[in-house]
Amino acid sequence: MYERVLVNAGVEIHRARAEVVDKNSVRVEGRTYTAKHILVATGSWPQLPVIPGIEHAITSNEAFALERLPRRAVVVGGGYIALEFASIFHGLGVETMLTYRGRRLLRGFDAELGARIAEEMSAKGVNVCFGCEPAALRKREKSGDSIEIEFTDGRTAQADLVMFATGRRPNTAKLGLESAGVKLAADGAVIVDRYSASSVPSIHAVGDVTNRINLTPVATAEAMWLARTLFRGEPTPVDHENVPTAVFANPNLATVGLSEEKARERYGAIDVYKTSFRALKLTMSDKAERTFMKLVVDRASQRVVGAHMIGADAGEIIQGIAIAVKLGATKAQFDATIGIHPTAAEEFVTMREKTA
Ligand SMILES: Cc1cc2nc3c(=O)[nH]c(=O)nc-3n(C[C@H](O)[C@H](O)[C@H](O)COP(=O)(O)OP(=O)(O)OC[C@H]3O[C@@H](n4cnc5c(N)ncnc54)[C@H](O)[C@@H]3O)c2cc1C
């Protein structure tokens, strides 16, 4: 579908690796093309640690093309990709271990979300191991191709599949950017200003290659803002405030705005409202899963500056809440909104007790 839109708009597509030659030219398959503007949108690539036996591991790139389901899987990482794949494997009946070298999942998210999602995933049967950092992988051909993972503390685990989701690196290696004068950050990201311009005025960059907020709708928005700046004469800076995001783990998790920790740093005095309950629909079942919701409010202005949720359809619910947060709604305006009963979402407009 996207391709049709591009072709209909007159875009010529070359399915080949491109390289920047200088500030106005790009080489593809031996031919050089010149242009007034060059946009770098080459994305990112999974990063693997340098440890013995790492060639036995896969990344999310390969995870979508597995020929058969493993019996036991170890997913390494504590970010959203690791949580999502651990949930997918476990949901498909795979004996799943999630190993993370730190103590709290989802760094950068509200601390309570990281702690609670670990509890929920563990309760569902994912073996979550903190302080577990793989030191080596060994293939054990005699035991049906299984892989032994040795951790830095000497512990070991056996698996049929080991997947690393330990971060991604902007795709700028051998792209010719540095020789064209484009400045890169230590992690390889193209350094851009608020208008996505690189250090070379004719070269811009958007999306994961700039390592700002690495999400599809953000990459798309950055491209739209850039198009306005360059071709409509409306200089439009990027707006990375209050970007909602979801983690499609089981249970679902979503968030918009500031974590409690970041809000405290920015505003000093804050009010926190939270609730944890068993969704009404689950009371008819034996499922113990709890829904968690939290609102973070700047005490001085009473604006809701963060909304967080773990529970069914969290992404769907937070998308709506994000509009209110983006518009600067106050806690009183949340409270003045009538809830839809009986939903989980109504709790976002009925939280009255401050917990901090
Ligand atoms: C497992 C996984 C799950 C994700 N889930 C979500 C999600 O649920 N929601 C969400 O919003 N985001 C999600 N993301 C993030 C999202 O995929 C990225 O933020 C988004 O794709 C970034 O878009 P982009 O255009 O910058 O890069 P990409 O989509 O990576 O596109 C870059 C393209 O450039 C091509 N390329 C690279 N180098 C060259 C070259 N030299 N010449 C020519 N072409 C080149 C690549 O082949 C690729 O096609 C997920 C990412 C992963 C890995």
Side-chain angles (χ1 to χ4, degrees), residues 16-18 41-44 60 64 80-81 84-85 168 171 175 206-209 214-217 219 248:
R17 189 186 152 77
T42 48
S44 60
S60 61
F64 292 108
Y80 77 91
I81 295 175
E84 289 177 353
F85 276 97
R168 299 176 65 83
N171 246 336
L175 204 57
V206 294
D208 284 16
V209 77
N214 300 330
L215 292 169
T216 298
F248 297 96

Side-chain angles (χ1 to χ4, degrees), residues 139-279:
K139 195 105 183 188
R140 302 179 68 219
E141 275 151 31
K142 280 192 190 133
S143 50
D145 268 2
S146 82
I147 302 164
E148 179 172 80
I149 303 122
E150 184 186 325
F151 296 99
T152 47
D153 62 4
R155 272 183 289 178
T156 57
Q158 315 298 324
D160 308 297
L161 180 100
V162 181
M163 179 184 145
F164 275 70
T166 44
R168 299 176 65 83
R169 211 183 144 82
N171 246 336
T172 49
K174 299 190 187 135
L175 204 57
L177 288 170
E178 279 160 304
S179 43
V182 174
K183 289 209 171 73
L184 303 182
D187 63 1
V190 178
I191 298 175
V192 288
D193 66 11
R194 295 194 312 135
Y195 297 92
S196 297
S198 77
S199 51
V200 175
S202 58
I203 302 182
H204 291 76
V206 294
D208 284 16
V209 77
T210 61
N211 202 9
R212 291 178 282 185
I213 296 181
N214 300 330
L215 292 169
T216 298
V218 176
T220 309
E222 287 168 358
M224 303 293 277
W225 293 320
L226 178 62
R228 262 185 233 159
T229 301
L230 293 181
F231 307 119
R232 264 214 210 147
E234 296 168 15
T236 310
V238 296
D239 177 5
H240 288 147
E241 280 282 307
N242 294 320
V243 171
T245 185
V247 178
F248 297 96
N250 185 15
N252 196 197
L253 178 154
T255 182
V256 61
L258 300 178
S259 63
E260 180 176 343
E261 301 77 40
K262 281 266 175 274
R264 245 180 242 295
E265 249 174 67
R266 188 180 295 184
Y267 297 107
I270 58 166
D271 296 331
V272 177
Y273 299 81
K274 50 189 170 184
T275 178
S276 166
F277 56 94
R278 249 179 107 211

